[in-house]
Amino acid sequence: MVNGARSDPYFQTDISIHHEVPVHEGMRMEFELNVLNALNHRSVLGVASSILATGSVSPRRASRFTDDPLLDWGKLMNGFNYIDAANATGAFAGVVPGTTTAIQSKLVLNNQYGMPNSFQAGRNVRIAMRFVF
């Protein structure tokens, strides 16, 4: 896990040029050029922040009523060690009382954790020509 990391600096240089040429009484031609991110910086804007491929842990417990989801909300809502949850150790080890079902199975880690997943848009050029009358 990376701590204290900062993202790349975000720089964007935009250029806008507008020119009008009179053609006739009350009529004119307009030319416009817009260049967004003219220097084509490609900064990282976001990284994958979920350590687990499934995105969540789901510790099991014994059934208490009909249509019980069997999820141990007590473990999830009172703070837990996410390393224990991912490795099915500590409070997440063992089996549900009276069954052979594991409280938490070992979880697959997200292989894209910490990797860039969102980038600054590349250079974008727009040209316009208008006849105004």
Side-chain angles (χ1 to χ4, degrees), residues 93-113:
V95 294
V96 175
T99 69
T100 58
T101 305
I103 291 175
Q104 175 74 50
S105 58
K106 287 186 178 182
L107 299 173
V108 177
L109 298 178
N110 183 358
N111 63 351
Q112 294 183 351
Y113 174 73

Side-chain angles (χ1 to χ4, degrees), residues 115-131:
M115 300 289 290
N117 64 3
S118 177
F119 300 89
Q120 182 177 1
R123 182 182 300 124
N124 188 342
V125 179
R126 296 183 215 167
I127 300 172
M129 182 179 77
R130 289 185 277 281
F131 181 71

Side-chain angles (χ1 to χ4, degrees), residues 37-91:
N37 195 8
L39 302 177
N40 206 25
H41 286 283
R42 299 298 295 222
S43 297
V44 173
L45 300 180
V47 295
S49 59
S50 178
I51 195 168
L52 301 174
T54 60
S56 65
V57 296
S58 54
R60 312 284 287 178
R61 64 168 171 73
S63 178
R64 292 190 242 171
F65 52 87
T66 306
D67 295 330
D68 186 357
L70 306 176
L71 187 63
D72 191 346
W73 289 103
K75 281 190 172 79
L76 294 178
M77 303 307 276
N78 295 315
F80 63 91
N81 181 339
Y82 69 94
I83 300 296
D84 284 349
N87 293 319
T89 58

Side-chain angles (χ1 to χ4, degrees), residues 14-34:
D14 299 336
I15 298 171
S16 180
I17 299 171
H18 181 91
H19 184 67
E20 294 182 8
V21 178
V23 177
H24 195 278
E25 267 180 42
M27 296 182 209
R28 65 185 187 276
M29 289 288 292
E30 292 182 356
F31 300 94
E32 190 171 346
L33 172 71
N34 286 310

